[in-house]
């Protein structure tokens, strides 16, 4: 996640709601688009640039498909609509299936959509994202460690940490979803 939207009319691609003029006459209009609270990347450009560099370092060597699944799942847990918009669009553009993206919200009941390695990464994502017990359970960590070499596991943990940081900026600043174009943050 490395772009901020500009306050313009919603995009009209397949992933966005139609504008009022494109909506059927008998349908109620969509809710108005909120304004973002802060343009944090403009107000703290050095922080933003550092986040971009750290994000690039974190994702180095992480499978891009797995990375998008991790980013989507963390963003679901953090209720980050901006990042959900971005990462579902990027995942779809990269060839990820709609089914696998939709089922991420209920992955424990939809395990058959994912590989064991993906499941371990998704479970680790949840444990790192929702630290309600104050730690990542040993069994979750050990499951992930069975599927990733130590260096790869560190990169995965770094990627999970980064999407959580992006989520927190986006949610707090109320970044507006719907304007992102696939590949726009690379």
């Amino acid at each position: 996640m490395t772009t901020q939207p500009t306050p313009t009319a919603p995009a009209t691609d397949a992933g966005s709601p139609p504008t009022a003029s494109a909506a059927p006459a008998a349908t109620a209009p969509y809710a108005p688009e909120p304004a973002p609270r802060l343009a944090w990347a403009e107000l703290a450009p050095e922080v933003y640039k550092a986040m971009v560099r750290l994000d690039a370092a974190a994702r180095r060597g992480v499978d891009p498909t797995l990375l998008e699944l991790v980013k989507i799942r963390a963003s679901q847990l953090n209720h980050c609509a901006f990042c959900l918009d971005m990462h579902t669009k990027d995942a779809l553009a990269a060839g990820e299936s709609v089914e696998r993206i939709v089922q991420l919200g209920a992955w424990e009941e939809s395990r058959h959509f994912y590989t064991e390695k993906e499941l371990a990464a998704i479970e680790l994502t949840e444990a790192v994202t929702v630290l309600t017990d104050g730690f990542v359970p040993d069994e979750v960590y050990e499951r992930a460690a069975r599927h990733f070499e130590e260096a790869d596991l560190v990169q995965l943990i770094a990627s999970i940490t980064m999407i959580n940081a992006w989520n927190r900026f986006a949610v707090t600043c109320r970044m507006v979803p719907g304007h992102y174009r696939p590949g726009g943050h690379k």
Side-chain angles (χ1 to χ4, degrees):
M1 206 244 27
T2 59
T3 62
Q4 274 192 284
T6 55
T8 59
T12 57
D13 65 287
S16 299
T19 59
S21 61
T27 305
Y30 286 93
E33 182 176 285
R37 278 185 179 152
L38 287 171
W40 78 272
E42 294 169 19
L43 295 167
E46 293 306 312
V47 173
Y48 179 78
K49 289 176 198 172
M51 290 275 294
V52 170
R53 288 190 305 272
L54 186 55
D55 188 71
R59 72 173 175 260
R60 198 168 295 132
V62 180
D63 175 79
T65 301
L66 178 65
L67 184 59
E68 291 305 327
L69 293 174
V70 162
K71 289 178 177 185
I72 292 167
R73 186 63 190 134
S75 299
Q76 288 172 334
L77 293 166
N78 289 322
H79 305 281
C80 185
F82 182 83
C83 293
L84 279 169
D85 177 58
M86 175 183 290
H87 297 295
T88 56
K89 286 176 179 175
D90 281 346
L92 289 167
E96 184 57 82
S97 74
V98 171
E99 280 183 322
R100 283 170 39 99
I101 293 170
V102 169
Q103 292 302 318
L104 259 178
W107 67 269
E108 290 176 293
E109 297 173 40
S110 306
R111 298 177 73 80
H112 60 286
F113 283 89
Y114 309 100
T115 66
E116 289 299 318
K117 185 175 185 175
E118 290 169 336
L119 290 167
I122 293 165
E123 186 176 26
L124 183 63
T125 299
E126 287 199 9
V128 171
T129 301
V130 186
L131 290 171
T132 55
D133 292 332
F135 59 91
V136 173
D138 290 340
E139 61 275 7
V140 171
Y141 179 84
E142 289 164 6
R143 228 177 334 273
R146 284 195 298 269
H147 294 281
F148 295 89
E149 298 292 326
E150 283 185 341
D152 296 331
L153 185 56
V154 170
Q155 292 300 128
L156 176 61
I157 293 167
S159 294
I160 294 166
T161 302
M162 284 308 307
I163 189 57
N164 276 282
W166 287 119
N167 287 168
R168 278 146 179 77
F169 273 109
V171 169
T172 304
C173 297
R174 289 197 180 146
M175 294 174 66
V176 180
H179 301 276
Y180 181 77
R181 298 283 181 244
H185 70 286
K186 297 188 175 163

